[in-house]
Amino acid sequence: LVELFPSRLHDERLSLCRRPCVSMASRDGRILPLVVVGIVTAIFLVRFLYAGSGGSDKFSLHQMPPWEKNIKNNTKWIVVTTIQLPTKPMVKLSKLAGWSVVVVGDTKTPASWSLQNCVFLSVERQKELNYRIHELLPYRAYSRKNIGYLFAIRHGAKVIYETDDDNELTMATLEQAFQVDLQNLNKNLLIYKPETGKNTVNPYVHFGQPSVWPRGFPLSDIAESYKPVAYAKFGSGLKPLIQQGVANGDPDVDAIFRLTRKEAGKKIVIKFDPKAPPVAVPPSVMTPFNSQNTLFHYQALWGMLIPITTSFRVCDIWRGYWAQRLNWEVGGTLTFSTASVYQDRNEHDYTLDYADEIALYNDAGRLVKFLTKWRRPSNARGFFDVARALSTDMTANGFWKKGDIDLVNAWINDLISIGYKEPALVQNANLDMAFGAAASYKPTTGIVCK
């Protein structure tokens, strides 16, 4: 077993103990029972380890509480966390045909929360799910959303859309907003062509806003981010496993933008070009993406994990960079599409946001350089080994703390237990295939503020 499945033995539940051998000379009747127990144990371990190594997903150690057995499986799930009663955007999501919705509550969420076609996970029900990560997740924290991701995966998710309860979908369906079907990609999909010496790209420029940048974009790169970039048609070497849609209205910008660009007493209203084609970010190039209008395909569902040792305004951005780098290892890429939601944010003290975002300002550039230079260990036996290694190295370099190493280990073990198939590592990927013919595209200029 150790030879066949070394990476699976990270599971802390498996403890292989050496026991004294029973002499074949003994005639006390203990040999046969021990042989039977050994065979049964071996079968159990092989089935468990096989499930975690990309084998059959029918075998699972996850035991459902009685109420969960009534939940219908679906291949398409929406995951949201909330502390308020159902909002207008939530009602709209609950009515999307073909999609199931799971809502993760917290200690502040009204106990009476209910909405047709939605599964509500109260804090009590979250405990009953018995996920390992539960003991590591703080209350009153955005990271409780992780429970919802596991729940959706356990109930058949092949694609997960995540958003917040104040993001109102402006398109009739998610299929219009994203490439839900990877077998039928948008023919207009473009891909940035890497530029020598540049490892970041500002996606807001592509959608007509060259003077705006997303939260988590390295400050040192803003001055150069508005310049034109080269494009190509999207080729065949990569899969758009993670997809981010931008947001009209008051999108996800950082506190520096809001403190310096917002007029007193007026709301920020930003409009992105609705005709801009979707665009992919190639390996070796990075950009931040958040958890507010984002779609993950099955081979990237491992990448939804929200860390616990960073601040609230940093957690989903650090998650995005971590997942973006690991996504390259499975032949995936990140894409951006035009606005499919409208966000109307409440007025609040942006100086508090600034304080919460300090790590973004100080470390985003350093993190991008670290990730683009990072290489997977040569002794990695599978993708989960690679994910553990990167998580450990990010801790060693001060981007998050040991608690997130523990969280990643628990998360991986939960994924294995609910039958998630570990994606295969891509060996010697031919990235040239990702770039089709050269494409001529010139972004327009939109409306910044009103």
Side-chain angles (χ1 to χ4, degrees), residues 76-332:
K76 297 187 292 186
W77 281 84
I78 298 169
V79 178
V80 184
T81 185
T82 189
I83 58 172
Q84 55 187 336
L85 289 171
T87 59
K88 180 182 176 183
M90 284 297 305
V91 173
K92 184 175 289 189
L93 289 175
S94 71
K95 295 179 179 179
L96 290 177
W99 291 81
S100 298
V101 183
V102 57
V103 180
V104 184
D106 208 330
T107 54
K108 284 187 173 183
T109 309
S112 60
W113 202 101
S114 178
L115 183 62
Q116 190 173 5
N117 300 324
C118 293
V119 178
F120 175 59
L121 299 180
S122 64
V123 292
E124 292 77 15
R125 285 196 164 184
Q126 291 170 39
K127 293 177 184 177
E128 293 172 359
L129 293 172
N130 291 319
Y131 297 140
R132 294 172 187 79
I133 64 169
H134 181 270
E135 300 304 315
L136 302 175
L137 300 177
Y139 289 102
R140 299 190 177 186
Y142 193 67
S143 57
R144 299 207 70 79
K145 204 174 184 182
N146 293 325
I147 297 287
Y149 305 145
L150 288 175
F151 184 88
I153 296 169
R154 177 64 185 86
H155 289 277
K158 302 301 181 186
V159 60
I160 295 178
Y161 171 70
E162 64 170 341
T163 186
D164 288 341
D165 60 6
D166 58 352
N167 279 354
E168 184 170 359
L169 188 66
T170 55
M171 293 188 177
T173 67
L174 288 174
E175 285 76 6
Q176 287 180 319
F178 297 96
Q179 297 173 98
V180 177
D181 182 6
L182 291 181
Q183 303 303 315
N184 187 25
L185 294 181
N186 188 322
K187 295 181 180 179
N188 296 318
L189 177 60
L190 302 177
I191 185 170
Y192 292 111
K193 295 195 73 173
E195 183 178 333
T196 302
K198 289 189 67 175
N199 54 19
T200 60
V201 64
N202 180 356
Y204 288 179
V205 176
H206 177 81
F207 297 100
Q209 293 294 351
S211 63
V212 186
W213 61 91
R215 173 171 57 99
F217 193 79
L219 297 182
S220 58
D221 293 353
I222 291 174
E224 298 290 322
S225 68
Y226 69 93
K227 294 182 177 179
V229 297
Y231 296 91
K233 289 286 188 179
F234 191 79
S236 59
L238 298 170
K239 293 181 180 180
L241 299 180
I242 304 176
Q243 303 172 24
Q244 169 90 88
V246 296
N248 281 335
D250 193 348
D252 193 22
V253 294
D254 61 29
I256 289 179
F257 182 92
R258 290 195 172 95
L259 289 168
T260 58
R261 300 288 296 280
K262 181 182 176 300
E263 295 183 47
K266 294 184 179 181
K267 288 188 175 183
I268 291 178
V269 180
I270 294 176
K271 181 180 179 181
F272 292 101
D273 182 4
K275 297 181 180 180
V279 62
V281 182
S284 78
V285 178
M286 307 197 95
T287 194
F289 73 91
N290 60 31
S291 58
Q292 298 172 14
N293 185 28
T294 316
L295 184 137
F296 287 73
H297 279 277
Y298 186 82
Q299 286 178 278
L301 294 183
W302 49 263
M304 303 194 78
L305 182 66
I306 302 288
I308 57 176
T309 65
T310 68
S311 69
F312 167 66
R313 296 285 294 172
V314 173
C315 65
D316 62 333
I317 300 300
W318 260 212
R319 182 278 299 266
Y321 278 125
W322 173 80
Q324 195 173 167
R325 176 61 188 85
L326 289 172
N327 198 28
W328 302 347
E329 302 293 334
V330 296

Side-chain angles (χ1 to χ4, degrees), residues 19-30:
R19 296 186 181 277
C21 295
V22 178
S23 172
M24 292 297 293
S26 65
R27 303 293 182 182
D28 58 6
R30 289 181 295 166

